[in-house]
Amino acid sequence: MHWKIKASLQKLLHFTKIGDQLNHIPATLKKEYHKNVCLYQFYECIRKFEVSNISLKAKDKKSALEIGTGYSLVAPVVLYLLGFENIVTVDISKDVSIKTFQRQIQHLNNEELLQKIVTNGKFDLSEVHQKLTSIQSFRKLEELLEYCNISYIPKYTLNDIENVTNSFDYICSQVVFEHIPPIFLQELFKKMKLWLTEESCAVHTINFIDHFANPGFFQDKNISEFNFLKYSDETWKFWAGNDIAYTNRLSFLYYLELCEENDLNVVDFQGENYRAHNPLPSELIHQDIIKKYKTLSAVEDLCKYQRGTLIFKK
């Protein structure tokens, strides 16, 4: 499907009260959708936690913040099973439900997966089994959240987070930052500098590609994964300037600049290209894109990575 057709459909959905849910329906029609969501959330949660090098073996209580809950509570529940005593998870809309969670969490009943939790966390296998059994028994979202000490904040503000706590040992997100406007990103990075404790760590995986080129029923196979860098801010706002289709079109370099501006210590950046890599010729990248960066030694670097994991400390 041509990306402008999908963009037009998403613009229409934007004006409905359930546009985001309707936009998500095609993904749910895939075979074993709930199993795939559970496994994806689990492995990404464990992967990010492992690279943080945070120890949960100690008796002291540790808190975690997940930015971007999405349609699944699997990641914050895994953080609870690892041993975090207080978890805050936030999003711009309320998309989780206990019925969806029940369909997903059942796929965590796997000894190999549970052993990964034990290896990285503070509980032994019997404790993890007991906690998971309790988690799977809940029929109300409020019961689940209370048991796991999870504060779920949809339609959040930064003040909402601080009303729960302003100190975190671990902050994470999974392909969320690309959907956040630069102005809010700047405020968020300032806050993370304040929220992180001295021994804490933040791990964020960010997708840098044009989402109209993403695989799926509506994929446009005829465009580069960096197609959106060709357009001015005004043109792109016309096509994708809504809460369903929005992406900020920023590369890894912008996030490194944010870390430098806020005196955040970058531990590592792990860039990757997970599909056929078709960089946009540098002469086609619009000046509106280039001027978003304070320093840019090579324009072609804006297409260097499709995805990356940014790890930083205070």
Side-chain angles (χ1 to χ4, degrees):
M1 176 182 287
H2 193 285
W3 71 267
K4 288 185 178 180
I5 297 177
K6 180 179 179 181
S8 298
L9 292 173
Q10 289 180 323
K11 286 178 70 173
L12 290 174
L13 291 176
H14 164 71
F15 292 104
T16 69
K17 291 184 178 180
I18 57 171
D20 188 49
Q21 290 93 326
L22 293 173
N23 183 64
H24 187 64
I25 286 176
T28 67
L29 300 178
K30 293 181 180 179
K31 186 179 180 181
E32 297 189 319
Y33 165 76
H34 292 294
K35 178 181 179 180
N36 293 336
V37 168
C38 179
L39 295 180
Y40 172 77
Q41 292 290 334
F42 172 82
Y43 281 113
E44 284 300 313
C45 183
I46 293 295
R47 179 185 69 85
K48 292 196 298 291
F49 177 73
E50 287 178 335
V51 298
S52 75
N53 288 320
I54 293 175
S55 174
L56 289 172
K57 302 297 185 181
K59 293 183 179 180
D60 56 320
K61 297 181 179 180
K62 284 186 167 58
S63 59
L65 168 64
E66 180 197 35
I67 302 170
T69 316
Y71 286 83
S72 176
L73 278 170
V74 170
V77 167
V78 170
L79 291 176
Y80 166 74
L81 292 174
L82 283 168
F84 284 99
E85 304 233 0
N86 298 287
I87 300 118
V88 179
T89 182
V90 301
D91 211 335
I92 60 172
S93 58
K94 187 176 183 179
D95 294 319
V96 300
S97 71
I98 192 64
K99 289 184 178 179
T100 298
F101 175 76
Q102 289 170 339
R103 292 172 184 162
Q104 294 171 356
I105 200 65
Q106 63 178 309
H107 299 291
L108 209 58
N109 283 322
N110 178 298
E111 291 302 311
E112 180 182 347
L113 303 185
L114 298 183
Q115 190 56 54
K116 280 187 172 291
I117 293 175
V118 173
T119 300
N120 289 280
K122 65 191 295 185
F123 304 120
D124 61 33
L125 187 58
S126 63
E127 290 176 296
V128 172
H129 270 294
Q130 181 271 319
K131 291 178 182 297
L132 184 58
T133 299
S134 296
I135 287 168
Q136 292 174 322
S137 71
F138 296 123
R139 295 296 175 264
K140 293 183 179 180
L141 184 62
E142 294 75 16
E143 294 174 339
L144 169 68
L145 298 175
E146 182 178 3
Y147 179 82
C148 297
N149 205 12
I150 295 173
S151 297
Y152 172 45
I153 311 175
K155 300 180 181 179
Y156 79 103
T157 66
L158 298 177
N159 285 337
D160 289 334
I161 296 174
E162 292 185 325
N163 286 337
V164 178
T165 180
N166 61 0
S167 177
F168 294 100
D169 301 285
Y170 180 59
I171 303 177
C172 64
S173 68
Q174 180 65 26
V175 291
V176 170
F177 278 7
E178 67 266 24
H179 299 291
I180 299 179
I183 293 177
F184 192 86
L185 276 174
Q186 291 164 9
E187 293 302 312
L188 178 59
F189 270 68
K190 289 178 183 177
K191 288 293 186 179
M192 286 192 288
K193 173 67 176 180
L194 298 174
W195 292 342
L196 288 167
T197 62
E198 292 300 328
E199 300 301 322
S200 60
C201 187
V203 185
H204 303 285
T205 298
I206 312 162
N207 196 311
F208 308 118
I209 73 170
D210 187 336
H211 284 29
F212 289 118
N214 277 344
F217 180 78
F218 295 105
Q219 178 188 15
D220 189 337
K221 297 181 180 180
N222 296 313
I223 60 174
S224 161
E225 69 270 32
F226 299 103
N227 179 67
F228 59 0
L229 301 184
K230 292 162 47 175
Y231 302 96
S232 69
D233 286 344
E234 183 179 3
T235 299
W236 196 251
K237 183 178 180 181
F238 173 81
W239 287 108
N242 59 76
D243 58 1
I244 294 177
Y246 178 81
T247 54
N248 55 36
R249 304 193 291 162
L250 300 171
S251 82
F252 73 104
L253 297 170
Y254 188 89
Y255 299 94
L256 293 178
E257 285 185 356
L258 280 177
C259 288
E260 183 176 1
E261 290 171 16
N262 291 282
D263 196 27
L264 288 162
N265 177 30
V266 176
V267 177
D268 194 12
F269 173 77
Q270 302 170 355
E272 61 176 315
N273 292 308
Y274 57 94
R275 52 184 281 183
H277 189 210
N278 298 298
L280 196 67
S282 58
E283 63 270 17
L284 294 182
I285 298 176
H286 199 278
Q287 283 298 314
D288 282 357
I289 297 296
I290 296 172
K291 69 183 183 182
K292 297 179 189 297
Y293 301 85
K294 292 185 177 180
T295 57
L296 186 60
S297 57
V299 176
E300 56 267 26
D301 284 347
L302 298 179
C303 300
K304 187 173 183 178
Y305 298 119
Q306 297 165 342
R307 182 171 59 198
T309 298
L310 176 63
I311 308 163
F312 59 80
K313 294 187 175 183
K314 190 164 186 174

